[in-house]
Amino acid sequence: MCVSLVNKYNVSGPRYTSYPTVPYWDPEAFSLKQWKQNLKKAFDQSNSTEGISLYIHLPFCESLCTFCGCNKRITKRHDVEIPYIKAIIKEWQLYCDLLVEKTVIKELHLGGGTPTFFDSENLKLLINSIKHHAILAENYEFSFEGHPNNTTKDHLQTLYNLGFNRVSFGVQDYNPEVQKAIHRVQPFENVKQVTQLAREIGYTSISHDIIFGLPFQTEAHVKETITKTKALLPDRIAFYSYAHVPWIKGNGQRGFNDNDLPSAESKQNQYQLGKQLLTEAGYHDIGMDHFALPTDALYKASQSKTMHRNFMGYTASKTKVMIGLGVSSISDSWYAFAQNVKSIESYYDLLENNCIPVYRGHILNQEDLIIRQHILNLMCNFETNWIAEDLNFKDLPEIIYKLKEMQDDGLLIFESQQIIITEKGKPFVRNICMAFDVLLQRNKPETQLFSMTV
Protein backbone atom coordinates (compact mmCIF):
# COMPACT_ATOMS: atom_id res chain seq x y z
CA MET A 1 0.00 0.00 0.00
CA CYS A 2 1.42 3.35 -1.06
CA VAL A 3 2.07 5.49 2.02
CA SER A 4 1.38 8.72 0.11
CA LEU A 5 -2.08 7.46 -0.91
CA VAL A 6 -2.88 6.48 2.67
CA ASN A 7 -1.87 9.93 3.87
CA LYS A 8 -3.82 11.62 1.08
CA TYR A 9 -7.08 9.71 1.48
CA ASN A 10 -7.14 9.19 5.24
CA VAL A 11 -9.93 11.65 5.91
CA SER A 12 -13.16 11.67 7.89
CA GLY A 13 -15.87 9.98 5.84
CA PRO A 14 -19.12 7.96 6.01
CA ARG A 15 -19.48 4.19 5.70
CA TYR A 16 -22.54 4.75 3.47
CA THR A 17 -25.10 2.44 4.97
CA SER A 18 -27.39 5.14 3.59
CA TYR A 19 -27.38 8.13 1.31
CA PRO A 20 -27.94 10.85 2.32
CA THR A 21 -26.00 10.05 5.48
CA VAL A 22 -27.76 10.79 8.77
CA PRO A 23 -26.00 14.15 9.48
CA TYR A 24 -27.29 15.41 6.11
CA TRP A 25 -30.92 14.47 6.57
CA ASP A 26 -33.39 17.33 6.33
CA PRO A 27 -35.58 16.99 9.45
CA GLU A 28 -37.47 20.20 8.69
CA ALA A 29 -38.97 18.66 5.55
CA PHE A 30 -39.86 15.41 7.33
CA SER A 31 -42.94 14.37 9.26
CA LEU A 32 -44.36 11.12 10.61
CA LYS A 33 -47.28 11.50 8.19
CA GLN A 34 -44.89 11.69 5.22
CA TRP A 35 -42.97 8.69 6.51
CA LYS A 36 -46.14 6.62 6.67
CA GLN A 37 -47.14 7.67 3.16
CA ASN A 38 -43.71 6.84 1.67
CA LEU A 39 -43.54 3.54 3.53
CA LYS A 40 -47.00 2.52 2.33
CA LYS A 41 -46.07 3.45 -1.25
CA ALA A 42 -42.90 1.33 -1.23
CA PHE A 43 -44.61 -1.52 0.61
CA ASP A 44 -47.43 -1.70 -1.94
CA GLN A 45 -44.86 -1.75 -4.76
CA SER A 46 -42.66 -4.50 -3.35
CA ASN A 47 -44.31 -6.64 -0.66
CA SER A 48 -45.68 -9.29 -3.01
CA THR A 49 -42.58 -9.41 -5.25
CA GLU A 50 -39.53 -9.12 -3.01
CA GLY A 51 -40.83 -8.88 0.55
CA ILE A 52 -39.41 -6.67 3.30
CA SER A 53 -36.44 -6.70 5.65
CA LEU A 54 -36.93 -6.44 9.39
CA TYR A 55 -34.25 -5.22 11.79
CA ILE A 56 -34.87 -5.55 15.54
CA HIS A 57 -32.56 -3.64 17.88
CA LEU A 58 -32.00 -5.31 21.27
CA PRO A 59 -29.90 -2.76 23.17
CA PHE A 60 -29.07 -4.45 26.47
CA CYS A 61 -25.55 -5.55 27.40
CA GLU A 62 -24.21 -6.78 30.74
CA SER A 63 -20.90 -4.94 30.27
CA LEU A 64 -19.57 -2.09 28.16
CA CYS A 65 -17.25 -2.85 25.22
CA THR A 66 -15.15 0.27 24.76
CA PHE A 67 -14.79 -0.11 20.97
CA CYS A 68 -18.55 0.07 20.48
CA GLY A 69 -20.33 3.05 18.94
CA CYS A 70 -23.83 1.50 18.99
CA ASN A 71 -26.88 2.49 21.02
CA LYS A 72 -26.90 0.30 24.15
CA ARG A 73 -28.09 0.10 27.75
CA ILE A 74 -25.71 -1.50 30.25
CA THR A 75 -27.45 -3.55 32.93
CA LYS A 76 -27.29 -6.92 34.67
CA ARG A 77 -31.03 -6.82 35.42
CA HIS A 78 -32.83 -9.27 33.18
CA ASP A 79 -36.28 -8.16 34.28
CA VAL A 80 -35.94 -5.55 31.51
CA GLU A 81 -36.43 -8.25 28.85
CA ILE A 82 -40.20 -8.79 28.86
CA PRO A 83 -41.22 -5.08 28.94
CA TYR A 84 -38.91 -4.37 26.00
CA ILE A 85 -40.15 -7.34 24.00
CA LYS A 86 -43.76 -6.31 24.60
CA ALA A 87 -42.89 -2.82 23.34
CA ILE A 88 -41.36 -4.20 20.14
CA ILE A 89 -44.44 -6.36 19.56
CA LYS A 90 -46.60 -3.26 20.04
CA GLU A 91 -44.51 -1.29 17.53
CA TRP A 92 -44.75 -4.14 15.01
CA GLN A 93 -48.53 -4.20 15.47
CA LEU A 94 -48.72 -0.47 14.72
CA TYR A 95 -46.83 -1.04 11.46
CA CYS A 96 -49.01 -4.02 10.56
CA ASP A 97 -52.13 -1.91 11.13
CA LEU A 98 -50.70 0.78 8.86
CA LEU A 99 -49.71 -1.59 6.06
CA VAL A 100 -52.96 -3.61 6.29
CA GLU A 101 -51.80 -6.41 3.99
CA LYS A 102 -49.78 -9.19 5.66
CA THR A 103 -46.08 -8.54 5.26
CA VAL A 104 -43.82 -10.97 3.44
CA ILE A 105 -40.58 -11.15 5.42
CA LYS A 106 -37.53 -11.76 3.25
CA GLU A 107 -34.94 -11.24 5.96
CA LEU A 108 -34.92 -10.58 9.68
CA HIS A 109 -31.94 -9.63 11.81
CA LEU A 110 -31.51 -9.30 15.57
CA GLY A 111 -28.86 -6.70 16.34
CA GLY A 112 -27.61 -4.98 19.44
CA GLY A 113 -26.51 -4.38 22.03
CA THR A 114 -26.39 -8.08 22.76
CA PRO A 115 -29.31 -10.14 21.43
CA THR A 116 -28.12 -13.14 23.44
CA PHE A 117 -28.55 -11.05 26.60
CA PHE A 118 -32.17 -12.18 26.26
CA ASP A 119 -33.35 -15.56 27.50
CA SER A 120 -34.06 -17.97 24.65
CA GLU A 121 -37.73 -18.35 25.69
CA ASN A 122 -38.18 -14.58 25.55
CA LEU A 123 -36.62 -14.49 22.08
CA LYS A 124 -39.04 -17.25 21.09
CA LEU A 125 -41.96 -15.11 22.29
CA LEU A 126 -40.66 -12.17 20.25
CA ILE A 127 -40.12 -14.06 16.99
CA ASN A 128 -43.39 -15.99 17.17
CA SER A 129 -45.26 -12.71 17.73
CA ILE A 130 -43.55 -11.18 14.69
CA LYS A 131 -44.32 -14.22 12.52
CA HIS A 132 -47.97 -14.22 13.60
CA HIS A 133 -48.58 -11.10 11.50
CA ALA A 134 -46.40 -12.08 8.55
CA ILE A 135 -45.72 -14.55 5.77
CA LEU A 136 -42.21 -15.89 5.22
CA ALA A 137 -40.74 -15.51 1.74
CA GLU A 138 -39.67 -18.68 -0.03
CA ASN A 139 -35.93 -18.13 0.55
CA TYR A 140 -36.07 -16.09 3.74
CA GLU A 141 -33.01 -15.52 5.94
CA PHE A 142 -33.12 -14.99 9.69
CA SER A 143 -29.87 -13.96 11.39
CA PHE A 144 -28.64 -12.71 14.74
CA GLU A 145 -25.55 -11.37 16.46
CA GLY A 146 -24.22 -13.64 19.19
CA HIS A 147 -21.76 -12.83 21.95
CA PRO A 148 -19.37 -15.81 22.24
CA ASN A 149 -19.33 -15.54 26.05
CA ASN A 150 -23.07 -15.84 26.60
CA THR A 151 -24.51 -17.55 23.53
CA THR A 152 -25.70 -20.93 24.77
CA LYS A 153 -26.66 -24.14 22.99
CA ASP A 154 -30.24 -23.34 24.01
CA HIS A 155 -30.00 -19.94 22.25
CA LEU A 156 -28.68 -21.54 19.09
CA GLN A 157 -31.17 -24.42 19.04
CA THR A 158 -34.20 -22.29 19.90
CA LEU A 159 -33.45 -19.69 17.25
CA TYR A 160 -32.63 -22.37 14.67
CA ASN A 161 -36.01 -24.00 15.35
CA LEU A 162 -37.62 -20.58 14.76
CA GLY A 163 -36.04 -20.34 11.30
CA PHE A 164 -32.67 -18.69 11.95
CA ASN A 165 -30.01 -19.97 9.57
CA ARG A 166 -27.20 -17.43 10.02
CA VAL A 167 -25.30 -16.19 13.07
CA SER A 168 -22.53 -13.62 13.46
CA PHE A 169 -20.08 -13.79 16.36
CA GLY A 170 -18.10 -10.74 17.45
CA VAL A 171 -14.46 -11.79 17.75
CA GLN A 172 -12.62 -8.45 17.33
CA ASP A 173 -9.11 -9.68 18.35
CA TYR A 174 -7.67 -12.58 20.38
CA ASN A 175 -4.74 -10.73 21.97
CA PRO A 176 -5.24 -10.34 25.79
CA GLU A 177 -3.83 -6.77 25.91
CA VAL A 178 -6.16 -5.62 23.12
CA GLN A 179 -9.13 -7.43 24.66
CA LYS A 180 -8.46 -5.78 28.02
CA ALA A 181 -8.26 -2.33 26.41
CA ILE A 182 -11.62 -2.74 24.65
CA HIS A 183 -13.18 -4.50 27.66
CA ARG A 184 -14.08 -7.55 25.59
CA VAL A 185 -12.24 -10.53 27.12
CA GLN A 186 -13.29 -13.76 25.40
CA PRO A 187 -10.98 -16.77 25.01
CA PHE A 188 -10.58 -18.50 21.67
CA GLU A 189 -12.16 -21.61 23.22
CA ASN A 190 -15.45 -19.74 23.72
CA VAL A 191 -15.56 -18.73 20.06
CA LYS A 192 -14.59 -22.22 18.97
CA GLN A 193 -17.32 -23.80 21.08
CA VAL A 194 -20.20 -21.63 19.80
CA THR A 195 -18.97 -21.84 16.20
CA GLN A 196 -18.88 -25.63 16.32
CA LEU A 197 -22.25 -25.80 18.09
CA ALA A 198 -23.86 -23.61 15.43
CA ARG A 199 -22.41 -25.78 12.69
CA GLU A 200 -23.59 -29.00 14.37
CA ILE A 201 -27.10 -27.62 14.83
CA GLY A 202 -27.34 -26.76 11.14
CA TYR A 203 -26.66 -23.04 10.61
CA THR A 204 -25.82 -22.57 6.95
CA SER A 205 -23.79 -19.38 7.37
CA ILE A 206 -21.55 -18.53 10.32
CA SER A 207 -19.79 -15.18 10.37
CA HIS A 208 -16.98 -13.75 12.49
CA ASP A 209 -16.39 -10.02 13.01
CA ILE A 210 -12.73 -9.01 13.25
CA ILE A 211 -11.54 -5.43 13.76
CA PHE A 212 -8.19 -3.87 12.85
CA GLY A 213 -6.89 -0.56 14.14
CA LEU A 214 -7.83 -1.25 17.78
CA PRO A 215 -5.83 0.24 20.67
CA PHE A 216 -2.43 -1.46 21.18
CA GLN A 217 -3.10 -3.72 18.17
CA THR A 218 -0.19 -4.73 15.92
CA GLU A 219 0.23 -6.70 12.71
CA ALA A 220 1.31 -9.68 14.82
CA HIS A 221 -2.00 -9.54 16.68
CA VAL A 222 -3.95 -9.45 13.42
CA LYS A 223 -1.97 -12.42 12.12
CA GLU A 224 -2.63 -14.38 15.30
CA THR A 225 -6.37 -13.63 15.20
CA ILE A 226 -6.81 -14.56 11.55
CA THR A 227 -4.68 -17.70 11.93
CA LYS A 228 -7.01 -18.87 14.71
CA THR A 229 -10.06 -17.83 12.69
CA LYS A 230 -8.87 -19.87 9.70
CA ALA A 231 -8.84 -22.97 11.91
CA LEU A 232 -12.60 -22.54 12.46
CA LEU A 233 -13.28 -21.53 8.82
CA PRO A 234 -16.42 -19.38 9.26
CA ASP A 235 -18.42 -18.94 6.05
CA ARG A 236 -17.98 -15.18 5.98
CA ILE A 237 -15.83 -12.62 7.74
CA ALA A 238 -16.34 -8.93 8.38
CA PHE A 239 -12.82 -7.51 8.65
CA TYR A 240 -13.27 -3.85 9.28
CA SER A 241 -11.57 -0.77 10.60
CA TYR A 242 -12.20 0.39 14.14
CA ALA A 243 -14.35 3.53 13.94
CA HIS A 244 -12.97 5.94 16.52
CA VAL A 245 -15.80 8.39 17.25
CA PRO A 246 -15.46 9.24 20.96
CA TRP A 247 -17.30 12.55 20.53
CA ILE A 248 -20.66 10.84 19.94
CA LYS A 249 -22.92 11.17 22.98
CA GLY A 250 -23.27 7.94 24.94
CA ASN A 251 -20.30 6.36 23.22
CA GLY A 252 -18.29 3.95 25.35
CA GLN A 253 -14.97 4.60 23.66
CA ARG A 254 -12.81 5.29 26.68
CA GLY A 255 -10.11 3.57 28.71
CA PHE A 256 -7.55 4.45 26.06
CA ASN A 257 -6.57 7.58 24.14
CA ASP A 258 -5.56 8.52 20.60
CA ASN A 259 -1.90 7.74 21.31
CA ASP A 260 -2.81 4.10 21.95
CA LEU A 261 -4.25 3.69 18.45
CA PRO A 262 -2.20 2.48 15.45
CA SER A 263 -1.24 5.09 12.86
CA ALA A 264 -3.08 5.25 9.54
CA GLU A 265 -0.13 3.56 7.84
CA SER A 266 -0.06 0.80 10.46
CA LYS A 267 -3.80 0.27 10.08
CA GLN A 268 -3.42 -0.16 6.33
CA ASN A 269 -0.59 -2.62 6.89
CA GLN A 270 -2.84 -4.56 9.25
CA TYR A 271 -5.58 -4.60 6.63
CA GLN A 272 -3.31 -5.66 3.79
CA LEU A 273 -1.84 -8.47 5.90
CA GLY A 274 -5.29 -9.62 6.97
CA LYS A 275 -6.58 -9.55 3.40
CA GLN A 276 -3.58 -11.57 2.20
CA LEU A 277 -4.08 -14.21 4.91
CA LEU A 278 -7.81 -14.46 4.22
CA THR A 279 -7.26 -14.75 0.47
CA GLU A 280 -4.69 -17.52 1.03
CA ALA A 281 -7.31 -19.34 3.12
CA GLY A 282 -9.82 -19.29 0.23
CA TYR A 283 -11.87 -16.22 1.13
CA HIS A 284 -12.93 -13.72 -1.54
CA ASP A 285 -13.07 -9.94 -1.16
CA ILE A 286 -16.76 -9.27 -1.89
CA GLY A 287 -17.35 -5.74 -0.63
CA MET A 288 -16.01 -3.10 1.69
CA ASP A 289 -14.42 -4.99 4.61
CA HIS A 290 -16.26 -8.25 3.79
CA PHE A 291 -14.88 -11.65 2.80
CA ALA A 292 -16.68 -14.92 2.11
CA LEU A 293 -16.04 -18.49 1.06
CA PRO A 294 -17.31 -19.45 -2.43
CA THR A 295 -20.03 -21.60 -0.84
CA ASP A 296 -21.59 -18.69 1.06
CA ALA A 297 -24.75 -16.95 -0.16
CA LEU A 298 -23.15 -13.51 0.10
CA TYR A 299 -20.32 -14.53 -2.24
CA LYS A 300 -22.86 -15.89 -4.73
CA ALA A 301 -24.83 -12.64 -4.51
CA SER A 302 -21.66 -10.64 -5.18
CA GLN A 303 -20.95 -12.73 -8.27
CA SER A 304 -24.47 -12.32 -9.63
CA LYS A 305 -24.46 -8.60 -8.69
CA THR A 306 -27.54 -9.02 -6.52
CA MET A 307 -25.83 -8.04 -3.26
CA HIS A 308 -27.48 -5.20 -1.36
CA ARG A 309 -26.42 -2.80 1.39
CA ASN A 310 -28.58 -1.10 3.98
CA PHE A 311 -28.52 -0.26 7.69
CA MET A 312 -27.98 -3.97 8.43
CA GLY A 313 -24.81 -3.93 6.30
CA TYR A 314 -24.32 -6.20 3.28
CA THR A 315 -27.10 -8.68 2.54
CA ALA A 316 -27.71 -11.31 -0.11
CA SER A 317 -31.30 -10.10 -0.57
CA LYS A 318 -32.41 -6.82 -2.07
CA THR A 319 -35.54 -5.34 -0.55
CA LYS A 320 -36.95 -1.87 -1.06
CA VAL A 321 -38.46 -1.75 2.43
CA MET A 322 -36.59 -2.23 5.68
CA ILE A 323 -38.48 -1.66 8.92
CA GLY A 324 -36.43 -1.08 12.05
CA LEU A 325 -38.00 -1.95 15.40
CA GLY A 326 -36.67 -0.93 18.81
CA VAL A 327 -34.84 2.11 20.16
CA SER A 328 -32.68 4.05 17.68
CA SER A 329 -33.55 1.66 14.81
CA ILE A 330 -33.59 3.19 11.33
CA SER A 331 -36.20 2.26 8.75
CA ASP A 332 -35.84 2.65 4.99
CA SER A 333 -38.60 2.80 2.38
CA TRP A 334 -36.11 3.67 -0.40
CA TYR A 335 -37.93 6.98 -0.81
CA ALA A 336 -37.50 7.98 2.85
CA PHE A 337 -35.61 7.21 6.06
CA ALA A 338 -36.98 7.31 9.60
CA GLN A 339 -35.20 6.81 12.92
CA ASN A 340 -36.74 5.82 16.24
CA VAL A 341 -36.12 7.69 19.48
CA LYS A 342 -32.92 6.69 21.26
CA SER A 343 -34.21 6.67 24.84
CA ILE A 344 -35.93 3.50 26.04
CA GLU A 345 -38.19 5.57 28.31
CA SER A 346 -39.32 7.80 25.40
CA TYR A 347 -39.79 4.70 23.25
CA TYR A 348 -42.14 3.19 25.85
CA ASP A 349 -44.06 6.45 26.29
CA LEU A 350 -44.75 6.89 22.57
CA LEU A 351 -45.89 3.29 22.16
CA GLU A 352 -48.14 3.62 25.19
CA ASN A 353 -49.88 6.40 23.25
CA ASN A 354 -50.15 4.21 20.11
CA CYS A 355 -47.61 6.33 18.24
CA ILE A 356 -44.91 4.90 15.96
CA PRO A 357 -41.78 6.06 17.87
CA VAL A 358 -40.05 7.94 15.04
CA TYR A 359 -38.33 11.22 15.92
CA ARG A 360 -36.44 12.23 12.78
CA GLY A 361 -35.99 11.26 9.15
CA HIS A 362 -35.44 12.35 5.57
CA ILE A 363 -37.52 12.39 2.39
CA LEU A 364 -35.29 11.72 -0.63
CA ASN A 365 -35.56 14.03 -3.65
CA GLN A 366 -34.74 12.94 -7.21
CA GLU A 367 -31.07 13.87 -6.93
CA ASP A 368 -30.80 11.95 -3.66
CA LEU A 369 -32.30 8.84 -5.25
CA ILE A 370 -29.95 8.89 -8.24
CA ILE A 371 -26.80 9.44 -6.20
CA ARG A 372 -27.96 6.86 -3.68
CA GLN A 373 -28.10 4.25 -6.43
CA HIS A 374 -24.59 5.10 -7.67
CA ILE A 375 -23.13 4.84 -4.18
CA LEU A 376 -24.96 1.56 -3.64
CA ASN A 377 -23.54 0.22 -6.92
CA LEU A 378 -20.01 1.19 -5.91
CA MET A 379 -20.36 -0.31 -2.45
CA CYS A 380 -21.81 -3.60 -3.71
CA ASN A 381 -20.26 -4.09 -7.15
CA PHE A 382 -17.20 -1.79 -7.19
CA GLU A 383 -18.61 -0.18 -10.35
CA THR A 384 -21.45 2.00 -11.60
CA ASN A 385 -22.67 3.52 -14.85
CA TRP A 386 -25.14 6.15 -15.96
CA ILE A 387 -26.97 7.46 -18.99
CA ALA A 388 -27.18 11.07 -20.14
CA GLU A 389 -30.66 11.75 -18.79
CA ASP A 390 -29.90 10.02 -15.48
CA LEU A 391 -28.10 12.95 -13.90
CA ASN A 392 -26.29 15.76 -15.63
CA PHE A 393 -22.83 15.33 -14.16
CA LYS A 394 -21.63 18.30 -16.21
CA ASP A 395 -23.62 20.40 -13.76
CA LEU A 396 -21.71 18.79 -10.90
CA PRO A 397 -18.05 19.54 -11.76
CA GLU A 398 -16.96 18.72 -8.21
CA ILE A 399 -17.77 15.06 -8.89
CA ILE A 400 -15.95 14.94 -12.23
CA TYR A 401 -12.85 16.65 -10.80
CA LYS A 402 -12.54 14.24 -7.88
CA LEU A 403 -13.10 11.16 -10.04
CA LYS A 404 -10.42 12.19 -12.54
CA GLU A 405 -8.00 12.83 -9.68
CA MET A 406 -8.69 9.35 -8.32
CA GLN A 407 -8.19 7.90 -11.78
CA ASP A 408 -4.77 9.57 -11.91
CA ASP A 409 -3.98 7.88 -8.59
CA GLY A 410 -4.95 4.47 -10.05
CA LEU A 411 -7.97 3.96 -7.81
CA LEU A 412 -10.53 3.68 -10.61
CA ILE A 413 -11.13 3.59 -14.34
CA PHE A 414 -13.28 6.57 -15.33
CA GLU A 415 -14.93 6.34 -18.73
CA SER A 416 -17.60 8.60 -20.21
CA GLN A 417 -20.51 6.83 -18.50
CA GLN A 418 -18.88 4.24 -16.28
CA ILE A 419 -16.64 3.88 -13.25
CA ILE A 420 -14.82 0.67 -12.33
CA ILE A 421 -12.89 0.54 -9.06
CA THR A 422 -9.49 -1.13 -9.42
CA GLU A 423 -7.93 -3.58 -6.96
CA LYS A 424 -5.71 -0.72 -5.84
CA GLY A 425 -8.81 1.38 -5.25
CA LYS A 426 -10.91 -1.11 -3.26
CA PRO A 427 -9.48 -0.08 0.15
CA PHE A 428 -10.54 3.49 -0.73
CA VAL A 429 -14.13 2.73 -1.76
CA ARG A 430 -15.46 5.09 0.94
CA ASN A 431 -13.40 7.93 -0.54
CA ILE A 432 -14.68 7.15 -4.06
CA CYS A 433 -18.26 7.22 -2.81
CA MET A 434 -17.52 10.56 -1.17
CA ALA A 435 -16.82 11.98 -4.64
CA PHE A 436 -20.53 11.45 -5.39
CA ASP A 437 -21.68 12.85 -2.05
CA VAL A 438 -22.69 16.30 -3.22
CA LEU A 439 -24.35 17.12 0.11
CA LEU A 440 -21.07 16.56 1.93
CA GLN A 441 -19.19 18.66 -0.63
CA ARG A 442 -21.70 21.52 -0.57
CA ASN A 443 -21.78 21.73 3.20
CA LYS A 444 -18.49 20.51 4.60
CA PRO A 445 -18.71 20.05 8.38
CA GLU A 446 -16.76 22.36 10.65
CA THR A 447 -16.24 19.55 13.15
CA GLN A 448 -15.53 15.85 12.57
CA LEU A 449 -18.73 13.85 12.03
CA PHE A 450 -17.38 10.52 10.81
CA SER A 451 -14.59 8.06 11.52
CA MET A 452 -11.45 8.13 9.38
CA THR A 453 -11.63 6.27 6.07
CA VAL A 454 -8.28 4.50 6.52
Side-chain angles (χ1 to χ4, degrees), residues 88-117:
I88 288 179
I89 294 170
K90 174 68 175 291
E91 185 184 4
W92 176 237
Q93 184 62 61
L94 291 175
Y95 272 114
C96 290
D97 292 344
L98 169 67
L99 300 173
V100 183
E101 181 184 345
K102 264 201 170 184
T103 55
V104 178
I105 297 179
K106 180 68 173 177
E107 58 182 356
L108 181 151
H109 183 70
L110 303 180
T114 307
T116 46
F117 171 97

Side-chain angles (χ1 to χ4, degrees), residues 270-336:
Q270 290 178 15
Y271 173 76
Q272 292 298 330
L273 173 62
K275 180 178 179 178
Q276 176 188 337
L277 293 171
L278 291 171
T279 301
E280 291 172 354
Y283 290 93
H284 292 262
D285 183 358
I286 58 170
M288 186 182 76
D289 309 330
H290 280 66
F291 298 81
L293 294 175
T295 51
D296 189 74
L298 200 60
Y299 170 80
K300 295 174 182 177
S302 73
Q303 293 300 104
S304 62
K305 298 192 183 299
T306 56
M307 195 163 66
H308 186 54
R309 183 172 172 83
N310 55 29
F311 286 102
M312 295 192 292
Y314 285 109
T315 73
S317 303
K318 181 180 179 181
T319 57
K320 184 171 287 185
V321 174
M322 191 197 83
I323 295 177
L325 304 177
V327 290
S328 76
S329 289
I330 298 178
S331 298
D332 177 2
S333 73
W334 187 258
Y335 307 107

Side-chain angles (χ1 to χ4, degrees), residues 71-301:
N71 179 285
K72 64 268 182 187
R73 177 70 63 91
I74 309 301
T75 181
K76 292 186 182 294
R77 293 181 49 188
H78 286 263
D79 57 355
V80 299
E81 293 183 34
I82 288 296
Y84 189 78
I85 284 175
K86 287 182 176 179
I88 288 179
I89 294 170
K90 174 68 175 291
E91 185 184 4
W92 176 237
Q93 184 62 61
L94 291 175
Y95 272 114
C96 290
D97 292 344
L98 169 67
L99 300 173
V100 183
E101 181 184 345
K102 264 201 170 184
T103 55
V104 178
I105 297 179
K106 180 68 173 177
E107 58 182 356
L108 181 151
H109 183 70
L110 303 180
T114 307
T116 46
F117 171 97
F118 286 73
D119 180 81
S120 58
E121 284 302 305
N122 289 338
L123 292 174
K124 183 177 180 179
L125 169 65
L126 170 62
I127 299 304
N128 280 335
S129 298
I130 295 292
K131 290 164 71 174
H132 180 71
H133 297 285
I135 301 169
L136 299 184
E138 184 177 351
N139 297 312
Y140 71 89
E141 181 181 88
F142 284 9
S143 59
F144 74 97
E145 297 166 14
H147 193 313
N149 285 353
N150 66 14
T151 300
T152 65
K153 183 176 181 180
D154 192 33
H155 278 124
L156 290 165
Q157 188 66 61
T158 299
L159 289 171
Y160 180 79
N161 293 344
L162 289 166
F164 284 76
N165 50 7
R166 191 174 78 79
V167 57
S168 175
F169 295 117
V171 172
Q172 325 321 341
D173 188 280
Y174 284 120
N175 179 264
E177 183 184 14
V178 176
Q179 288 189 352
K180 182 179 179 181
I182 63 175
H183 203 233
R184 180 67 176 250
V185 177
Q186 53 190 26
F188 171 72
E189 288 304 315
N190 290 10
V191 181
K192 179 180 179 180
Q193 181 181 36
V194 291
T195 299
Q196 292 179 340
L197 275 173
R199 192 164 279 140
E200 289 168 7
I201 286 170
Y203 284 79
T204 56
S205 182
I206 300 168
S207 178
H208 285 187
D209 290 350
I210 301 172
I211 303 178
F212 63 92
L214 289 167
F216 307 110
Q217 195 177 38
T218 66
E219 290 176 53
H221 299 151
V222 171
K223 183 176 182 179
E224 175 196 14
T225 296
I226 292 182
T227 299
K228 289 182 174 180
T229 300
K230 284 161 57 177
L232 301 179
L233 211 64
D235 301 277
R236 80 181 64 157
I237 292 173
F239 180 51
Y240 59 95
S241 169
Y242 164 61
H244 190 54
V245 286
W247 57 85
I248 294 180
K249 184 179 179 181
N251 202 312
Q253 295 178 344
R254 56 181 182 265
F256 53 87
N257 57 49
D258 291 358
N259 294 329
D260 300 322
L261 298 172
S263 66
E265 182 182 352
S266 177
K267 282 182 69 177
Q268 266 305 309
N269 289 338
Q270 290 178 15
Y271 173 76
Q272 292 298 330
L273 173 62
K275 180 178 179 178
Q276 176 188 337
L277 293 171
L278 291 171
T279 301
E280 291 172 354
Y283 290 93
H284 292 262
D285 183 358
I286 58 170
M288 186 182 76
D289 309 330
H290 280 66
F291 298 81
L293 294 175
T295 51
D296 189 74
L298 200 60
Y299 170 80
K300 295 174 182 177

